[in-house]
Amino acid sequence: MSSNPMPSFINIRVIVALMMREMTTRYGKSAGGYVWALLEPIGMIAVLVIVFSQALRSPQLGDSFPLFFATGYIAFGFYGELSNFASAAIAMNKPLLTLPRVTPIDAILARFLLQFITLCVTGVIILSGIMWIEDIHTVIDYASILKAIGYASILGLGVGITNVVIFSFVPTYQNVWKIITRPMFLISGVFFIMEDLPGPLQDILWWNPVIHATGLMRKGFFPLYDANFVSELYIGGLGFGFLTLGLFLVYSNRSFIVDRP
């Protein structure tokens, strides 16, 4: 057997098989289960838009609060949901990790890819639906949108993989992590743009990498918005840094992760 660490065709087949198992487990065997997985976040965002539009009638960019909110929420979701799904991959696939051809990385990538595809489909439906219903015509910067999704996804995957190992060694840290990250939704630019904040607060929130992703996403939908505070080097470097660290930790501690009860 080759010792080449790069993924082989067998690894790819394992990842696809794990994705299909995850779909069956999470959504059931019928197509309706996956459709519900798409409708659930759409409905949740619709409810949030209705609730917050009553308090924040005037968006800080453009004329549509639903579009303003959705662009921030979806960018944040790529980080938040992917990090959560990746970090829980080992616990959800523990029995399968005893099989010789299933590795922790296979399990993590399978969950990540399935949720990434789901988020992409959901995002397209929500954003195109808002623009169609509200008859919004704008010049879309696809490069900024794709970069926002890419950076947020890599950061989420990197943080999730790193947490897989930390959670294995320190199970109590899962509760600590939930407490630490709970305010992230409020400080990541879902409800505001960085430029409207006082200078000292901007200096603090700049270090939150997710706010760079929401800024890029909004730049993609609002042509007059420059998002000059965004540092692609910072969010990209942090994302790939966490990803490299996480892969190294998983590879170095595979036996402990798999054998831990």
Side-chain angles (χ1 to χ4, degrees):
M1 182 178 293
S2 173
S3 60
N4 187 354
M6 294 298 290
S8 64
F9 179 68
I10 295 297
N11 297 125
I12 295 173
R13 289 203 303 176
V14 168
I15 291 171
V16 172
L18 288 172
M19 289 175 66
M20 298 302 294
R21 176 184 179 274
E22 178 79 18
M23 286 186 67
T24 303
T25 303
R26 201 192 309 177
Y27 309 125
K29 296 183 179 181
S30 65
Y34 190 69
V35 171
W36 175 250
L38 300 177
L39 293 177
E40 187 176 12
I42 293 172
M44 183 176 66
I45 290 180
V47 171
L48 290 174
V49 165
I50 294 172
V51 171
F52 288 113
S53 62
Q54 300 304 310
L56 306 170
R57 294 180 180 276
S58 211
Q60 292 168 300
L61 286 175
D63 301 317
S64 169
F65 179 82
L67 183 62
F68 175 80
F69 177 80
T71 49
Y73 184 88
I74 290 171
F76 173 81
F78 272 94
Y79 162 76
E81 291 200 29
L82 292 177
S83 62
N84 289 336
F85 272 81
S87 63
I90 301 303
M92 298 299 296
N93 293 279
K94 199 74 171 179
L96 297 178
L97 295 177
T98 58
L99 301 176
R101 287 185 174 177
V102 180
T103 68
I105 296 299
D106 293 334
I108 293 168
L109 287 179
R111 273 201 126 211
F112 167 81
L113 289 172
L114 178 58
Q115 192 60 22
F116 176 80
I117 293 170
T118 302
L119 288 171
C120 286
V121 175
T122 303
V124 169
I125 293 173
I126 291 171
L127 293 170
S128 59
I130 290 173
M131 296 180 71
W132 177 69
I133 292 171
E134 300 209 340
D135 195 26
I136 298 172
H137 300 280
T138 185
V139 178
I140 296 178
D141 180 359
Y142 291 101
S144 293
I145 295 170
L146 292 176
K147 286 190 288 187
I149 293 172
Y151 290 136
S153 300
I154 292 297
L155 181 65
L157 177 60
V159 170
I161 291 180
T162 304
N163 278 342
V164 163
V165 181
I166 299 176
F167 291 169
S168 297
F169 279 95
V170 190
T172 308
Y173 184 69
Q174 295 185 51
N175 297 324
V176 176
W177 178 253
K178 290 178 182 178
I179 295 172
I180 294 174
T181 57
R182 194 163 291 168
M184 284 291 289
F185 181 72
L186 300 175
I187 63 173
S188 296
V190 176
F191 299 100
F192 60 86
I193 57 174
M194 179 78 94
E195 292 80 358
D196 283 355
L197 300 176
L201 191 54
Q202 288 187 36
D203 295 337
I204 296 172
L205 291 185
W206 187 92
W207 296 101
N208 173 8
V210 184
I211 205 169
H212 296 261
T214 56
L216 266 177
M217 179 68 85
R218 292 218 168 98
K219 181 180 179 181
F221 283 90
F222 300 96
L224 299 180
Y225 183 54
D226 294 327
N228 291 326
F229 71 91
V230 171
S231 172
E232 296 183 39
L233 179 62
Y234 175 63
I235 185 175
L238 205 59
F240 281 105
F242 270 113
L243 182 59
T244 302
L245 174 63
L247 289 172
F248 171 76
L249 290 175
V250 170
Y251 181 79
S252 303
N253 299 279
R254 176 186 172 183
S255 297
F256 180 83
I257 294 171
V258 173
D259 296 335
R260 178 183 172 275

